[in-house]
Amino acid sequence: MNKDNPSLLMKNKVWLNACADMLPLSVAVIPWGVLCGSLGVQMGLTPLQAQAMSLFVFAGAAQLSGVTMMGVGVPVSTLFGTTFVISARHLLYSVNFRQYIRQLPLKWRITLGFLLTDEMYALCAANIERTGEFDKHYALFSGAFFYFCWNLATLLGVLGGTQFENIEELGLEFAIAATFLALVIPTIKDIPVLVCVLVSFAVMTILTLAGYDNALIAAAITGMIAGFVYESVMPIHTKREGKRK
């Protein structure tokens, strides 16, 4: 039956490839998901509310900061403002993906938009570079697989609940840094990107040690400016060197 249906065979292959590619990243964020679920319960959320955050918010860094801020009773405006800043990078992802999905039906755009994460974006970008085209099924399967694993990890944290005392002190949030390192390093393929990464790292380290509250935002902006300046200046420098020769 499958031999007579090439389309079905192709979809099966895409599904397997997407899940296989996403598996390492899904495993890497299990501690992160467990932390979100358990910390939510410890901060006063019901098990259903803690799980609902992963089901409907589906944003790891925003969830962690949101749960923590709700636990200490910060104003709603601060909660939403911080969440917006943390998640602002998804605007860039969306702008880049728009060229590929704007012709798709609304149900596809909404679904892919909801499933869009750093991990899904990185895999889809790599797949586009590898195949030369955007595969909506690859994006759907990779995003859905990560969504399932993230909610499963959150459920483990929710079920553990108060059994994991002082879970925030176990260093599980390092999974966040490890995941982003795994996503960023493969993208460093030229000097401007390397400059951006190194400058961001240096500024983030210095400002964090100095106790600056918005170190992440400052580091990101500074890194992007540095990469842009380097890419803009170097062609001019190269041309001048060529004329001298």
Side-chain angles (χ1 to χ4, degrees):
M1 179 178 178
N2 288 343
K3 293 181 179 179
D4 298 327
N5 194 338
S7 178
L8 181 60
L9 278 174
M10 183 61 68
K11 287 184 180 179
N12 287 337
K13 184 179 180 181
V14 171
W15 183 85
L16 290 173
N17 289 339
C19 292
D21 291 344
M22 184 60 81
L23 181 59
L25 295 174
S26 298
V27 172
V29 298
I30 288 177
W32 192 355
V34 172
L35 178 61
C36 278
S38 180
L39 193 58
V41 174
Q42 292 184 27
M43 289 296 177
L45 299 180
T46 66
L48 183 59
Q49 289 173 332
Q51 186 65 49
M53 287 194 70
S54 285
L55 287 170
F56 300 111
V57 178
F58 188 41
Q63 284 180 231
L64 279 177
S65 64
V67 166
T68 303
M69 287 188 290
M70 284 189 290
V72 297
V74 302
V76 175
S77 58
T78 302
L79 175 62
F80 279 100
T82 303
T83 301
F84 176 79
V85 171
I86 293 174
S87 302
R89 65 190 186 282
H90 288 84
L91 293 174
L92 300 177
Y93 299 160
S94 301
V95 169
N96 182 258
F97 265 11
R98 183 177 180 274
Q99 59 183 311
Y100 303 115
I101 70 172
R102 60 185 176 186
Q103 302 300 328
L104 296 178
L106 180 62
K107 61 181 181 181
W108 271 95
R109 299 200 303 272
I110 292 176
T111 301
L112 294 180
F114 175 75
L115 294 174
L116 181 60
T117 58
D118 303 291
E119 292 79 5
M120 174 187 162
Y121 177 81
L123 287 185
C124 288
N127 190 59
I128 291 173
E129 185 175 347
R130 182 169 59 247
T131 64
E133 59 182 5
F134 176 79
D135 189 331
K136 64 180 182 181
H137 291 102
Y138 182 90
L140 176 65
F141 292 140
S142 60
F145 183 77
F146 186 78
Y147 177 75
F148 171 78
C149 292
W150 174 254
N151 277 277
L152 183 60
T154 302
L155 180 61
L156 292 176
V158 170
L159 293 177
T162 55
Q163 301 300 316
F164 303 129
E165 296 183 2
N166 300 320
I167 190 172
E168 68 277 9
E169 298 179 3
L170 298 179
L172 296 182
E173 66 274 12
F174 178 73
I176 303 175
T179 301
F180 277 101
L181 283 174
L183 294 175
V184 170
I185 290 177
T187 66
I188 304 176
K189 298 180 179 180
D190 52 45
I191 296 180
V193 175
L194 178 61
V195 169
C196 178
V197 171
L198 293 178
V199 170
S200 296
F201 174 76
V203 173
M204 181 68 185
T205 302
I206 294 171
L207 294 182
T208 299
L209 293 175
Y212 184 63
D213 292 334
N214 297 313
L216 178 61
I217 299 174
I221 295 175
T222 305
M224 287 188 290
I225 293 175
F228 175 77
V229 170
Y230 182 91
E231 190 173 28
S232 301
V233 171
M234 283 309 295
I236 298 175
H237 178 72
T238 303
K239 288 180 181 179
R240 288 176 178 175
E241 289 296 325
K243 289 181 179 179
R244 291 176 183 176
K245 293 180 181 180

PDB file of all heavy atoms in Angstrom, residues 184-185 187-201 223 226-227 230:
ATOM      1  N   VAL A 184      23.227  28.090  19.156  1.00  0.00           N
ATOM      2  CA  VAL A 184      24.007  29.211  18.623  1.00  0.00           C
ATOM      3  C   VAL A 184      25.283  28.755  17.928  1.00  0.00           C
ATOM      4  O   VAL A 184      25.611  29.236  16.835  1.00  0.00           O
ATOM      5  CB  VAL A 184      24.345  30.205  19.757  1.00  0.00           C
ATOM      6  CG1 VAL A 184      25.364  31.238  19.272  1.00  0.00           C
ATOM      7  CG2 VAL A 184      23.089  30.891  20.246  1.00  0.00           C
ATOM      8  N   ILE A 185      26.011  27.841  18.543  1.00  0.00           N
ATOM      9  CA  ILE A 185      27.333  27.458  18.024  1.00  0.00           C
ATOM     10  C   ILE A 185      27.301  27.014  16.555  1.00  0.00           C
ATOM     11  O   ILE A 185      28.150  27.444  15.761  1.00  0.00           O
ATOM     12  CB  ILE A 185      27.958  26.364  18.910  1.00  0.00           C
ATOM     13  CG1 ILE A 185      28.346  26.970  20.269  1.00  0.00           C
ATOM     14  CG2 ILE A 185      29.190  25.753  18.242  1.00  0.00           C
ATOM     15  CD1 ILE A 185      28.901  25.976  21.260  1.00  0.00           C
ATOM     16  N   THR A 187      25.528  28.056  14.241  1.00  0.00           N
ATOM     17  CA  THR A 187      25.236  29.184  13.348  1.00  0.00           C
ATOM     18  C   THR A 187      26.445  30.096  13.151  1.00  0.00           C
ATOM     19  O   THR A 187      26.396  31.008  12.328  1.00  0.00           O
ATOM     20  CB  THR A 187      24.073  30.029  13.900  1.00  0.00           C
ATOM     21  OG1 THR A 187      24.468  30.648  15.132  1.00  0.00           O
ATOM     22  CG2 THR A 187      22.848  29.159  14.157  1.00  0.00           C
ATOM     23  N   ILE A 188      27.528  29.870  13.895  1.00  0.00           N
ATOM     24  CA  ILE A 188      28.721  30.719  13.773  1.00  0.00           C
ATOM     25  C   ILE A 188      29.535  30.235  12.572  1.00  0.00           C
ATOM     26  O   ILE A 188      30.402  29.367  12.689  1.00  0.00           O
ATOM     27  CB  ILE A 188      29.572  30.666  15.054  1.00  0.00           C
ATOM     28  CG1 ILE A 188      28.731  31.062  16.265  1.00  0.00           C
ATOM     29  CG2 ILE A 188      30.778  31.591  14.929  1.00  0.00           C
ATOM     30  CD1 ILE A 188      29.462  30.949  17.583  1.00  0.00           C
ATOM     31  N   LYS A 189      29.236  30.812  11.422  1.00  0.00           N
ATOM     32  CA  LYS A 189      29.879  30.382  10.178  1.00  0.00           C
ATOM     33  C   LYS A 189      30.687  31.484   9.516  1.00  0.00           C
ATOM     34  O   LYS A 189      31.308  31.266   8.483  1.00  0.00           O
ATOM     35  CB  LYS A 189      28.824  29.843   9.202  1.00  0.00           C
ATOM     36  CG  LYS A 189      28.091  28.628   9.743  1.00  0.00           C
ATOM     37  CD  LYS A 189      27.055  28.128   8.752  1.00  0.00           C
ATOM     38  CE  LYS A 189      26.344  26.899   9.284  1.00  0.00           C
ATOM     39  NZ  LYS A 189      25.319  26.385   8.341  1.00  0.00           N
ATOM     40  N   ASP A 190      30.643  32.687  10.081  1.00  0.00           N
ATOM     41  CA  ASP A 190      31.446  33.771   9.532  1.00  0.00           C
ATOM     42  C   ASP A 190      31.866  34.708  10.654  1.00  0.00           C
ATOM     43  O   ASP A 190      31.371  34.616  11.784  1.00  0.00           O
ATOM     44  CB  ASP A 190      30.684  34.540   8.436  1.00  0.00           C
ATOM     45  CG  ASP A 190      29.309  34.988   8.896  1.00  0.00           C
ATOM     46  OD1 ASP A 190      29.207  35.505  10.027  1.00  0.00           O
ATOM     47  OD2 ASP A 190      28.345  34.816   8.139  1.00  0.00           O
ATOM     48  N   ILE A 191      32.778  35.618  10.349  1.00  0.00           N
ATOM     49  CA  ILE A 191      33.360  36.477  11.377  1.00  0.00           C
ATOM     50  C   ILE A 191      32.338  37.445  11.995  1.00  0.00           C
ATOM     51  O   ILE A 191      32.347  37.639  13.214  1.00  0.00           O
ATOM     52  CB  ILE A 191      34.565  37.254  10.807  1.00  0.00           C
ATOM     53  CG1 ILE A 191      35.668  36.262  10.412  1.00  0.00           C
ATOM     54  CG2 ILE A 191      35.093  38.250  11.832  1.00  0.00           C
ATOM     55  CD1 ILE A 191      36.905  36.900   9.841  1.00  0.00           C
ATOM     56  N   PRO A 192      31.433  38.080  11.220  1.00  0.00           N
ATOM     57  CA  PRO A 192      30.467  38.986  11.841  1.00  0.00           C
ATOM     58  C   PRO A 192      29.613  38.308  12.919  1.00  0.00           C
ATOM     59  O   PRO A 192      29.354  38.900  13.975  1.00  0.00           O
ATOM     60  CB  PRO A 192      29.606  39.448  10.653  1.00  0.00           C
ATOM     61  CG  PRO A 192      30.520  39.348   9.485  1.00  0.00           C
ATOM     62  CD  PRO A 192      31.352  38.130   9.735  1.00  0.00           C
ATOM     63  N   VAL A 193      29.186  37.080  12.653  1.00  0.00           N
ATOM     64  CA  VAL A 193      28.391  36.361  13.651  1.00  0.00           C
ATOM     65  C   VAL A 193      29.240  36.044  14.876  1.00  0.00           C
ATOM     66  O   VAL A 193      28.783  36.161  16.014  1.00  0.00           O
ATOM     67  CB  VAL A 193      27.820  35.055  13.049  1.00  0.00           C
ATOM     68  CG1 VAL A 193      27.098  34.243  14.123  1.00  0.00           C
ATOM     69  CG2 VAL A 193      26.868  35.367  11.905  1.00  0.00           C
ATOM     70  N   LEU A 194      30.496  35.675  14.639  1.00  0.00           N
ATOM     71  CA  LEU A 194      31.405  35.401  15.755  1.00  0.00           C
ATOM     72  C   LEU A 194      31.610  36.651  16.601  1.00  0.00           C
ATOM     73  O   LEU A 194      31.609  36.579  17.839  1.00  0.00           O
ATOM     74  CB  LEU A 194      32.751  34.898  15.224  1.00  0.00           C
ATOM     75  CG  LEU A 194      33.824  34.603  16.275  1.00  0.00           C
ATOM     76  CD1 LEU A 194      33.361  33.511  17.235  1.00  0.00           C
ATOM     77  CD2 LEU A 194      35.140  34.203  15.596  1.00  0.00           C
ATOM     78  N   VAL A 195      31.772  37.790  15.953  1.00  0.00           N
ATOM     79  CA  VAL A 195      31.928  39.054  16.673  1.00  0.00           C
ATOM     80  C   VAL A 195      30.689  39.338  17.514  1.00  0.00           C
ATOM     81  O   VAL A 195      30.786  39.733  18.686  1.00  0.00           O
ATOM     82  CB  VAL A 195      32.176  40.216  15.682  1.00  0.00           C
ATOM     83  CG1 VAL A 195      32.080  41.566  16.399  1.00  0.00           C
ATOM     84  CG2 VAL A 195      33.537  40.061  15.015  1.00  0.00           C
ATOM     85  N   CYS A 196      29.533  39.120  16.928  1.00  0.00           N
ATOM     86  CA  CYS A 196      28.268  39.344  17.633  1.00  0.00           C
ATOM     87  C   CYS A 196      28.188  38.482  18.891  1.00  0.00           C
ATOM     88  O   CYS A 196      27.842  38.965  19.978  1.00  0.00           O
ATOM     89  CB  CYS A 196      27.104  39.034  16.702  1.00  0.00           C
ATOM     90  SG  CYS A 196      25.469  39.211  17.463  1.00  0.00           S
ATOM     91  N   VAL A 197      28.539  37.209  18.752  1.00  0.00           N
ATOM     92  CA  VAL A 197      28.461  36.273  19.876  1.00  0.00           C
ATOM     93  C   VAL A 197      29.456  36.652  20.969  1.00  0.00           C
ATOM     94  O   VAL A 197      29.118  36.695  22.164  1.00  0.00           O
ATOM     95  CB  VAL A 197      28.722  34.832  19.399  1.00  0.00           C
ATOM     96  CG1 VAL A 197      28.860  33.890  20.587  1.00  0.00           C
ATOM     97  CG2 VAL A 197      27.586  34.363  18.488  1.00  0.00           C
ATOM     98  N   LEU A 198      30.693  36.934  20.583  1.00  0.00           N
ATOM     99  CA  LEU A 198      31.740  37.244  21.563  1.00  0.00           C
ATOM    100  C   LEU A 198      31.450  38.544  22.315  1.00  0.00           C
ATOM    101  O   LEU A 198      31.633  38.625  23.535  1.00  0.00           O
ATOM    102  CB  LEU A 198      33.100  37.326  20.877  1.00  0.00           C
ATOM    103  CG  LEU A 198      33.643  36.004  20.316  1.00  0.00           C
ATOM    104  CD1 LEU A 198      34.982  36.241  19.627  1.00  0.00           C
ATOM    105  CD2 LEU A 198      33.787  34.962  21.417  1.00  0.00           C
ATOM    106  N   VAL A 199      31.001  39.554  21.574  1.00  0.00           N
ATOM    107  CA  VAL A 199      30.686  40.834  22.219  1.00  0.00           C
ATOM    108  C   VAL A 199      29.501  40.676  23.177  1.00  0.00           C
ATOM    109  O   VAL A 199      29.517  41.193  24.298  1.00  0.00           O
ATOM    110  CB  VAL A 199      30.386  41.910  21.162  1.00  0.00           C
ATOM    111  CG1 VAL A 199      29.828  43.177  21.823  1.00  0.00           C
ATOM    112  CG2 VAL A 199      31.643  42.256  20.373  1.00  0.00           C
ATOM    113  N   SER A 200      28.478  39.952  22.740  1.00  0.00           N
ATOM    114  CA  SER A 200      27.318  39.712  23.604  1.00  0.00           C
ATOM    115  C   SER A 200      27.724  38.988  24.879  1.00  0.00           C
ATOM    116  O   SER A 200      27.284  39.330  25.985  1.00  0.00           O
ATOM    117  CB  SER A 200      26.256  38.888  22.857  1.00  0.00           C
ATOM    118  OG  SER A 200      25.749  39.588  21.754  1.00  0.00           O
ATOM    119  N   PHE A 201      28.573  37.978  24.712  1.00  0.00           N
ATOM    120  CA  PHE A 201      29.042  37.206  25.869  1.00  0.00           C
ATOM    121  C   PHE A 201      29.823  38.092  26.840  1.00  0.00           C
ATOM    122  O   PHE A 201      29.609  38.045  28.061  1.00  0.00           O
ATOM    123  CB  PHE A 201      29.920  36.048  25.396  1.00  0.00           C
ATOM    124  CG  PHE A 201      30.578  35.285  26.513  1.00  0.00           C
ATOM    125  CD1 PHE A 201      29.847  34.399  27.286  1.00  0.00           C
ATOM    126  CD2 PHE A 201      31.923  35.470  26.799  1.00  0.00           C
ATOM    127  CE1 PHE A 201      30.442  33.697  28.322  1.00  0.00           C
ATOM    128  CE2 PHE A 201      32.526  34.773  27.831  1.00  0.00           C
ATOM    129  CZ  PHE A 201      31.780  33.887  28.596  1.00  0.00           C
ATOM    130  N   GLY A 223      25.713  43.280  21.009  1.00  0.00           N
ATOM    131  CA  GLY A 223      26.240  42.251  20.118  1.00  0.00           C
ATOM    132  C   GLY A 223      25.776  42.432  18.684  1.00  0.00           C
ATOM    133  O   GLY A 223      26.579  42.315  17.741  1.00  0.00           O
ATOM    134  N   ALA A 226      27.575  45.378  17.155  1.00  0.00           N
ATOM    135  CA  ALA A 226      28.970  45.048  16.862  1.00  0.00           C
ATOM    136  C   ALA A 226      29.079  44.205  15.593  1.00  0.00           C
ATOM    137  O   ALA A 226      29.943  44.449  14.745  1.00  0.00           O
ATOM    138  CB  ALA A 226      29.578  44.297  18.049  1.00  0.00           C
ATOM    139  N   GLY A 227      28.215  43.220  15.461  1.00  0.00           N
ATOM    140  CA  GLY A 227      28.232  42.384  14.262  1.00  0.00           C
ATOM    141  C   GLY A 227      27.904  43.176  13.013  1.00  0.00           C
ATOM    142  O   GLY A 227      28.534  42.993  11.961  1.00  0.00           O
ATOM    143  N   TYR A 230      30.879  45.535  12.147  1.00  0.00           N
ATOM    144  CA  TYR A 230      31.988  44.774  11.568  1.00  0.00           C
ATOM    145  C   TYR A 230      31.691  44.402  10.118  1.00  0.00           C
ATOM    146  O   TYR A 230      32.544  44.563   9.235  1.00  0.00           O
ATOM    147  CB  TYR A 230      32.242  43.508  12.381  1.00  0.00           C
ATOM    148  CG  TYR A 230      33.408  42.694  11.866  1.00  0.00           C
ATOM    149  CD1 TYR A 230      34.695  42.913  12.349  1.00  0.00           C
ATOM    150  CD2 TYR A 230      33.236  41.723  10.877  1.00  0.00           C
ATOM    151  CE1 TYR A 230      35.776  42.189  11.863  1.00  0.00           C
ATOM    152  CE2 TYR A 230      34.303  40.997  10.384  1.00  0.00           C
ATOM    153  CZ  TYR A 230      35.570  41.228  10.880  1.00  0.00           C
ATOM    154  OH  TYR A 230      36.625  40.502  10.389  1.00  0.00           O
TER     155      TYR A 230
END
